[in-house]
Amino acid sequence: MTRHAAATAGHRRIAVIAGAALAAAALVPATATAAEPVDGFHFRGEYTHVEQEIGECLEVPFPIRHDGWVNARFSVRLHGTDGPEYYSLRATARDLYTNTDTGESFTGHSTFRDADLRVTDHGDGTITVLASGVRVESFRAPSGRLIGIDAGRATSTYVVDVGDPGDPDDDTVLSETHSEPVGASSLDGAGVCQIAATYLG
């Protein structure tokens, strides 16, 4: 697992875009000195599929077309002259779910933010990474009325054996711990399939 994978596992949303598309975001602690990015990429993509064709929403008795758009930016910043590297990923996504039998639809909007907050080099070939992930998702009915919002934040701590410092692909996660997510939701646990059954039927 790469250092970036270690830093963001557990706080990353994967959206299907011809395989996968990633979403998350940058949080930089107030005590850190944030430099200009030294590496990264900007990704925009869109995808479409029918939920029942890929095994999702099977309890809903009609096919649901899912159209999605994602805008993501990944960056690497050095903290200090010689590092360490801090990784961050932020993304926004828009989703449109449509009953293909009737044309009724509802929309979703998501913001995902994920980043290293603190990286500690122990000097023995291992590092400890404190990462934070934040997500906000909202859904609106066909009329435009707000259905509900789900928001949360969680942190994770990873101990990583970096192996060869010049080869991030040989990094190994030795241990990881995750905090309980903190946040609020007005969806009463309902997911996309339950919302579709209610508002598209």
Side-chain angles (χ1 to χ4, degrees):
M1 181 178 287
T2 65
R3 248 271 289 122
H4 176 248
T8 59
H11 299 298
R12 169 183 296 181
R13 177 189 173 178
I14 297 186
V16 176
I17 303 178
L22 193 39
L27 294 177
V28 179
T31 56
T33 301
E36 289 298 312
V38 296
D39 195 8
F41 65 84
H42 183 206
F43 172 79
R44 289 184 180 180
E46 58 185 76
Y47 56 97
T48 184
H49 62 269
V50 177
E51 294 287 356
Q52 289 183 319
E53 291 183 355
I54 62 167
E56 298 291 334
C57 297
L58 292 179
E59 70 274 20
V60 179
F62 48 80
I64 303 168
R65 174 171 166 161
H66 178 193
D67 296 285
W69 298 264
V70 64
N71 185 0
R73 186 178 298 275
F74 166 74
S75 64
V76 182
R77 297 175 185 267
L78 293 180
H79 284 228
T81 305
D82 299 318
E85 295 178 342
Y86 280 64
Y87 294 77
S88 66
L89 187 62
R90 67 175 63 190
T92 57
R94 183 166 62 89
D95 300 282
L96 175 66
Y97 300 92
T98 304
N99 179 337
T100 60
D101 291 338
T102 65
E104 287 291 309
S105 64
F106 70 93
T107 58
H109 184 271
S110 309
T111 301
F112 301 90
R113 306 189 307 174
D114 197 9
D116 295 345
L117 297 181
R118 185 171 64 249
V119 179
T120 303
D121 188 340
H122 302 293
D124 60 358
T126 65
I127 59 174
T128 297
V129 180
L130 174 64
S132 176
V134 177
R135 60 173 177 75
V136 179
E137 298 180 86
S138 62
F139 296 94
R140 291 189 177 274
S143 65
R145 182 179 64 82
L146 180 66
I147 296 172
I149 298 176
D150 189 22
R153 179 182 187 274
T155 59
S156 296
T157 301
Y158 304 88
V159 178
V160 183
D161 184 339
V162 298
D164 179 357
D167 181 11
D169 290 330
D170 71 351
D171 293 2
T172 302
V173 178
L174 302 178
S175 67
E176 58 184 85
T177 57
H178 307 283
S179 71
E180 287 295 324
V182 176
S185 176
S186 58
L187 293 173
D188 295 325
V192 168
C193 296
Q194 294 94 323
I195 295 172
T198 301
Y199 291 93
L200 301 185

